[in-house]
Amino acid sequence: MNNFYTLIYLNREIKEKIEDAFFSFAISPHKDVLHLYIDDGNETSRLIFSANPRETALFLDFYRPPKKSNVIDFFESLEGEKIIDIKLADKDRLISIYFENGQYLLFKLFSGNPNVFLVENDVIADAFKNPDEVTGEAPPRPEAPTFLEEVSPRRSAKNQMTEVNPLLPRNLLPYLIKEHDVDEMSPEKVKEFTNKATQALLDDPHPRVLKTGDFCLWSKEWLDIPSEKECEEVNDCVAFAYKNAVHLRRLHENKEDILQFLERSKSQKESLITQLQQAEKSLKRAEEYEKYGHLLMAHAHEQVTEGTTEITIDDFYENNEQITIPLKEDKSIAENAEYYYEKSKDAKKSYQNARRRLPKVKKELEQVKELLDEIEEIDHLPDLNSWVKDNKQKLEDFGFGSGDDKQATSPFRKFKEGKFEIWIGKSAKSNDQLTSHAHKEDIWLHARGVGGSHVVIRMGNRKDYPPQHVLLKAASYAAYFSKARGMKSAPVMYTKVKYVRKPKGAAPGAVVIERDEQVEMVPPMKPENI
């Protein structure tokens, strides 16, 4: 959503609508979200900025009355000030809104720490996030990337394209490369293709949100992926993509908790049913224990020496064939008979209890399966909220919401990215556990050249690699949980777990990559729910 070419058009559209208007006030109705209200005398606009690293965005939205209770006002010195210009930095994702009083708001739309800075006299006077840490410092400066004239022949098609133009939307390049067979092109052809693709972004934009959820400016002739929404203005598609991403994240977070609970409940009930269906064994044991009791009572008058652990006697139930019965060495024969009568009684109770519980547990299992089928079909947050409300009592009856539904503490952090689970080590020992627990086809990642956590993408026996957005998200986590956390961008290496080996006698967490090492440059990113 915050690709440089997107910002070119977004900057123009925002400028056209709010230049010469006045800043009213700014509030934060939600975590990491800032709403700036702009008044041109005829109507009030709402400029929305998301500082969430997963959903960084800037766009104009329709007016909505502000939530004024329990919110903090931001940038109060700008209230009533006239907007005189809006500018996008040269070849960098920095947008500035200039005011008549000489101050300006600088929107940083990249890295793992997006932010808005209020700048006065070329020094940060305030900030949306962490103002105490940045006040008095110089504001971020544009850092134009390097455009190479020569393409490295041995690099991948994606890396070759980003050498020619590092500003291209990297999340879309794998699709573009696959559709146009770029990986089959010579370096010269890759350069020519990249320049044409760049020119299409500049001369022939087609704002749309793909079915994948990605924002795209290329037409269907360039990228033939079905559209979820097509727009006349970039701003409208950015707003749609952002709201859709937020909706899907909230849906996933709320839905995943319930899904995991129901899956555990289903597994537990299936296991219990298996146990209860074996109740016939309890009845057979009850009959056997009762028989032992009768046989021992028939010999109750006999004496046994201290420490005797078994007795062999005639079994009058089986034509007086001999039978050996285990004894409690501290009990007499009569007391052992009573012991077996009690065990028979307990086994019969166990059988009766199983017979009584089995229909109830089977019914509960069917209810859990029905709930699972229903929730898996839900694709909209309001529908999920309504479903939870309608099934609140059932969920509570099964234990959802109680301490019993929490997973045991894991030796490593676990996060979900779509259908993929990402594991992150907590310590050197945890790193060893993580790698040893992973499947050979899982993807292993680690920040290159610095200490840090091992990260694994669980592949569920799939032998391919995960989608690029999943790989980049896991790589950004690996960068964050390493000594490269403070860098703007960090190299992260990755390969299959089967190519990662721990040398004999190596220190905890130390491994060697034997083959197929690849590297991605990513901004360190903190997982959302930490």
Side-chain angles (χ1 to χ4, degrees):
M1 284 185 286
N2 58 337
N3 172 262
F4 177 74
Y5 292 97
T6 304
L7 295 180
I8 291 176
Y9 298 99
L10 193 64
N11 183 73
R12 292 175 190 169
E13 293 170 8
I14 292 175
K15 179 173 181 173
E16 181 181 337
K17 292 177 181 176
I18 70 170
E19 190 175 28
D20 295 326
F22 295 86
F23 183 99
S24 293
F25 57 89
I27 60 172
S28 178
H30 312 291
K31 182 185 177 184
D32 292 337
V33 177
L34 183 69
H35 288 191
L36 301 95
Y37 286 79
I38 313 293
D39 191 349
D40 67 0
N42 296 313
E43 64 176 351
T44 302
S45 302
R46 190 164 52 114
L47 185 63
I48 296 178
F49 172 69
S50 169
N52 185 324
R54 298 172 63 182
E55 297 147 5
T56 307
L58 179 69
F59 60 93
L60 277 170
D61 203 11
F62 59 85
Y63 175 77
R64 177 181 292 167
K67 174 186 176 185
K68 292 296 284 183
S69 60
N70 299 319
V71 295
I72 300 174
D73 285 318
F74 289 85
F75 312 129
E76 293 176 276
S77 66
L78 293 176
E79 292 180 7
E81 290 295 328
K82 185 178 180 179
I83 296 169
I84 59 172
D85 201 3
I86 299 98
K87 289 183 180 179
L88 172 65
D90 182 32
K91 298 182 176 60
D92 206 349
R93 290 167 292 172
L94 294 167
I95 287 182
S96 299
I97 299 180
Y98 293 88
F99 295 87
E100 204 167 36
N101 67 352
Q103 295 179 322
Y104 68 93
L105 287 175
L106 177 63
F107 292 82
K108 178 186 173 188
L109 292 143
F110 58 88
S111 87
N113 300 294
N115 207 345
V116 187
F117 307 100
L118 174 64
V119 184
E120 183 176 11
N121 297 325
D122 211 27
V123 171
I124 296 174
D126 199 0
F128 172 45
K129 298 182 68 176
N130 307 315
D132 294 339
E133 297 178 11
V134 296
T135 298
E137 295 184 359
R141 305 294 184 189
E143 296 182 10
T146 303
F147 294 74
L148 301 182
E149 289 296 326
E150 298 297 326
V151 177
S152 305
R154 295 184 179 180
R155 303 198 73 186
S156 67
K158 179 183 175 182
N159 287 335
Q160 288 177 340
M161 291 184 71
T162 54
E163 284 180 340
V164 178
N165 183 0
L167 297 176
L168 289 173
R170 300 191 180 208
N171 59 313
L172 297 178
L173 292 187
Y175 304 121
L176 200 68
I177 290 166
K178 183 177 181 180
E179 185 166 331
H180 295 272
D181 296 322
V182 181
D183 49 5
E184 301 297 325
M185 296 180 184
S186 66
E188 292 76 15
K189 287 291 183 182
V190 171
K191 182 177 180 180
E192 180 183 341
F193 174 82
T194 303
N195 288 331
K196 287 181 179 179
T198 300
Q199 209 59 42
L201 293 175
L202 293 169
D203 298 341
D204 188 29
H206 290 257
R208 57 196 182 111
V209 179
L210 308 180
K211 289 287 187 182
T212 60
D214 296 296
F215 176 86
C216 179
L217 284 174
W218 279 304
S219 66
K220 289 182 180 178
E221 286 69 30
W222 274 96
L223 201 56
D224 190 18
I225 297 176
S227 301
E228 182 74 24
K229 185 177 180 63
E230 298 182 9
C231 309
E232 290 293 323
E233 293 190 341
V234 167
N235 183 85
D236 294 340
C237 268
V238 169
F240 178 86
Y242 168 75
K243 292 174 183 177
N244 190 50
V246 170
H247 170 268
L248 290 176
R249 172 173 58 81
R250 290 176 179 169
L251 174 68
H252 171 77
E253 289 171 353
N254 295 352
K255 188 174 173 178
E256 194 64 22
D257 285 345
I258 302 172
L259 276 172
Q260 289 183 4
F261 167 76
L262 290 175
E263 288 289 358
R264 290 196 301 274
S265 183
K266 174 174 172 281
S267 177
Q268 289 165 359
K269 292 186 186 304
E270 286 174 339
S271 177
L272 180 56
I273 286 172
T274 299
Q275 295 175 24
L276 295 176
Q277 285 175 333
Q278 296 175 349
E280 294 293 334
K281 293 180 181 178
S282 295
L283 188 59
K284 289 181 180 178
R285 285 197 299 272
E287 293 171 350
E288 183 180 37
Y289 294 149
E290 187 174 42
K291 172 181 167 181
Y292 285 177
H294 292 335
L295 292 174
L296 290 174
M297 285 302 292
H299 294 267
H301 59 283
E302 296 182 12
Q303 297 293 321
V304 291
T305 58
E306 186 177 346
T308 301
T309 57
E310 61 181 32
I311 186 172
T312 301
I313 54 180
D314 293 336
D315 183 357
F316 47 74
Y317 292 101
E318 296 291 341
N319 297 320
N320 288 326
E321 291 183 7
Q322 287 199 322
I323 184 172
T324 298
I325 301 174
L327 298 177
K328 292 289 183 181
E329 58 185 64
D330 59 339
K331 298 181 184 295
S332 66
I333 292 180
E335 288 171 335
N336 269 285
E338 288 298 327
Y339 166 75
Y340 279 113
Y341 285 142
E342 284 298 319
K343 284 182 68 69
S344 174
K345 184 179 176 181
D346 290 343
K348 286 177 181 177
K349 282 183 179 178
S350 177
Y351 171 74
Q352 294 298 332
N353 183 50
R355 289 285 300 271
R356 186 177 66 256
R357 290 183 65 194
L358 189 57
K360 181 175 181 289
V361 178
K362 283 183 175 179
K363 184 179 179 181
E364 289 174 350
L365 177 61
E366 290 306 310
Q367 290 176 331
V368 169
K369 287 180 177 178
E370 287 175 11
L371 292 174
L372 272 170
D373 290 341
E374 290 173 7
I375 195 173
E376 284 173 348
E377 294 297 317
I378 296 174
D379 294 323
H380 296 91
L381 192 57
D383 294 340
L384 178 65
N385 293 337
S386 200
W387 181 88
V388 170
K389 185 177 179 181
D390 292 343
N391 293 281
K392 182 180 179 182
Q393 191 58 55
K394 286 183 183 178
L395 291 169
E396 288 179 354
D397 288 345
F398 289 133
F400 181 73
S402 69
D404 295 337
D405 72 320
K406 304 299 182 184
Q407 293 187 54
T409 302
S410 171
F412 26 84
R413 303 175 181 90
K414 294 182 180 181
F415 302 94
K416 292 286 285 188
E417 183 63 26
K419 296 181 180 178
F420 296 84
E421 192 169 66
I422 299 172
W423 291 358
I424 303 174
K426 295 179 179 179
S427 63
K429 182 179 178 181
S430 170
N431 285 337
D432 282 347
Q433 289 178 294
L434 181 147
T435 307
S436 65
H437 279 74
H439 186 271
K440 65 179 183 179
E441 296 297 339
D442 291 345
I443 310 302
W444 179 91
L445 307 94
H446 194 284
R448 192 174 194 182
V450 295
S453 294
H454 294 203
V455 175
V456 162
I457 304 173
R458 300 285 286 162
M459 295 300 295
N461 289 328
R462 289 174 51 177
K463 294 187 177 181
D464 57 342
Y465 275 76
Q468 187 71 0
H469 73 275
V470 176
L471 186 64
L472 293 178
K473 187 59 64 65
S476 70
Y477 292 170
Y480 180 85
F481 289 101
S482 77
K483 292 185 178 179
R485 178 183 297 188
M487 297 172 62
K488 179 179 178 181
S489 186
V492 174
M493 54 187 176
Y494 65 95
T495 187
K496 292 289 187 81
V497 168
K498 62 186 176 184
Y499 301 135
V500 178
R501 178 176 60 84
K502 184 174 181 63
K504 186 176 181 180
V511 295
V512 172
I513 297 179
E514 295 185 322
R515 54 180 287 200
D516 203 29
E517 176 185 338
Q518 301 182 63
V519 176
E520 284 284 353
M521 292 295 297
V522 294
M525 187 181 296
K526 180 180 180 180
E528 180 66 18
N529 55 343
I530 285 186

